Amino acid sequence: NMKKILALALTTILISTSLSTMATATPSTKDEVVYGILKHDGSVENLYVVNIFDGGNISDYGNYSKLSNLTTRDSLNQADDKITISTNEDKFYYQGNLLSKDLPWNIQIKYYMNDEELSATDLAGMTGKLKIIILVSKNLNFTGSFYDNFGLQIALLLNNKLSSNIIVDNATIAEAGGNKQLNFTVLPGNPFEGIITADVKDFEMDPISINAIRLAFDINFDSSQ
């Protein structure tokens, strides 16, 4: 059987202006998108940032192991944690691979087949009663307020032809191109446990995606009473 459980992808979207504690000059205004690739158990494999600027003389700060210019062929100038470049582009993008592998959240993903805990790769091609547990808690080693200000949207796809009797609490279920898409919402500042069970055959699964967003709720209150 083809082992299609090869990677679980985590995408965290954090839009902010990032300043190193070593910075003595004012950095250019930017948006940033942080991407992470997780191992099957939820631990971090790699983190990288795509930094987005208006054109001109750009100064930025970050602890990166590798830099990639995503807009032009010009070289980025790196001195310790300071990155500079001048460009005439309206929008300029560069990627920096982070030295740190810490996220604001600790994420654990556990897999069971017929009540026996297995690694994700061992599940590929199996038939039986599947259970997946997703646990989220605060990473005490991470400084900053992201855990208390950003929620998580967790999406998981199960193939309709290979999965039946899907049971999941505290999630929305939608049809998505021959799959059941299970969507969990984790509120800011809260731990989370999501449990999915299903009867599966010849099991395979696309990557789990996790998206971090600043949640906003449009709620109307009746103040007439």
Side-chain angles (χ1 to χ4, degrees):
N1 292 318
M2 292 290 292
K3 292 198 172 184
K4 290 188 67 177
I5 304 180
L6 297 179
L8 303 178
L10 169 67
T11 303
T12 61
I13 300 181
L14 313 176
I15 300 176
S16 65
T17 299
S18 180
L19 275 176
S20 166
T21 56
M22 297 289 289
T24 55
T26 302
S28 305
T29 301
K30 70 172 182 179
D31 291 335
E32 64 178 19
V33 182
V34 182
Y35 296 91
I37 305 301
L38 300 188
K39 299 177 183 178
H40 299 122
D41 62 1
S43 59
V44 177
E45 175 77 25
N46 189 31
L47 294 177
Y48 62 94
V49 182
V50 174
N51 299 284
I52 307 164
F53 299 88
D54 294 329
N57 297 319
I58 295 168
S59 296
D60 195 23
Y61 294 84
N63 294 315
Y64 300 125
S65 61
K66 180 182 178 182
L67 301 177
S68 300
N69 185 335
L70 303 179
T71 306
T72 69
R73 295 184 177 181
D74 297 329
S75 297
L76 291 155
N77 304 305
Q78 185 175 23
D80 296 325
D81 63 348
K82 183 177 181 180
I83 300 98
T84 58
I85 191 170
S86 295
T87 178
N88 294 321
E89 300 291 330
D90 292 333
K91 284 291 182 180
F92 180 80
Y93 301 75
Y94 86 87
Q95 175 180 315
N97 289 27
L98 289 170
L99 291 170
S100 170
K101 291 189 177 181
D102 280 331
L103 286 170
W105 306 271
N106 287 320
I107 297 170
Q108 291 180 285
I109 305 173
K110 299 180 179 182
Y111 309 87
Y112 300 82
M113 186 65 74
N114 301 323
D115 294 325
E116 179 185 358
E117 185 171 3
L118 299 172
S119 69
T121 51
D122 288 339
L123 284 176
M126 294 188 69
T127 296
K129 188 72 173 181
L130 171 72
K131 180 165 69 174
I132 299 174
I133 299 176
I134 301 172
L135 301 167
V136 179
S137 61
K138 185 175 184 178
N139 182 0
L140 299 178
N141 295 322
F142 187 92
T143 58
S145 59
F146 286 115
Y147 179 82
D148 293 316
N149 291 290
F150 281 73
L152 298 179
Q153 291 182 335
I154 302 173
L156 182 149
L157 290 174
L158 291 178
N159 190 305
N160 285 334
K161 294 181 179 179
L162 304 178
S163 307
S164 61
N165 299 322
I166 299 170
I167 299 174
V168 57
D169 292 330
N170 303 319
T172 59
I173 303 177
E175 290 291 333
N179 296 293
K180 286 286 193 302
Q181 179 168 307
L182 315 179
N183 295 301
F184 297 98
T185 299
V186 182
L187 296 178
N190 287 272
F192 170 80
E193 178 181 65
I195 301 176
I196 304 105
T197 61
D199 295 326
V200 298
K201 62 179 182 179
D202 301 327
F203 181 65
E204 60 184 48
M205 192 177 73
D206 288 336
I208 295 172
S209 65
I210 304 175
N211 189 27
I213 57 171
R214 187 182 292 276
L215 292 179
F217 298 98
D218 185 11
I219 301 175
N220 292 320
F221 293 97
D222 184 358
S223 59
S224 62
Q225 297 182 1

